[in-house]
């Protein structure tokens, strides 16, 4: 069975949270959330777990936008 995956931004929106709310909940800056959602950086595994817990979804359901290589 395939696992449904959604972007971290979609997971946040689905949870009804703003980037500012998420940043305060997990102890990072709002810019950090923006960078994760845009693929400029990635969370640590513990930060990704915190996001999954905050969004009430399994970790394997969250994907982070890959960095573009040009």
């Amino acid at each position: 069975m395939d696992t449904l995956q959604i972007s971290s931004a979609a997971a946040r929106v689905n949870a009804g949270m703003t980037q500012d709310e998420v940043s305060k909940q997990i102890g990072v800056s709002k810019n950090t959330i923006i960078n994760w959602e845009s693929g400029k950086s990635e969370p640590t595994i513990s930060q990704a777990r915190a996001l999954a817990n905050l969004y009430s979804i399994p970790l394997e359901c969250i994907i982070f936008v890959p960095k573009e290589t040009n």
Side-chain angles (χ1 to χ4, degrees):
M1 177 181 223
D2 292 328
T3 301
L4 174 66
Q5 293 185 314
I6 60 173
S7 72
S8 58
R12 175 183 53 76
V13 170
N14 193 51
M17 301 185 77
T18 66
Q19 290 171 330
D20 194 49
E21 290 169 331
V22 172
S23 70
K24 289 176 183 172
Q25 287 287 324
I26 64 170
V28 299
S29 72
K30 180 180 174 182
N31 281 340
T32 297
I33 303 298
I34 291 168
N35 287 337
W36 292 345
E37 291 183 359
S38 66
K40 292 181 181 175
S41 64
E42 294 179 356
T44 64
I45 190 67
S46 62
Q47 291 168 327
R49 283 186 185 123
L51 289 172
N53 288 335
L54 189 60
Y55 302 152
S56 299
I57 61 174
L59 176 60
E60 54 273 1
C61 290
I62 300 177
I63 58 171
F64 297 91
V65 179
K67 296 177 187 174
E68 291 199 23
T69 55
N70 291 347

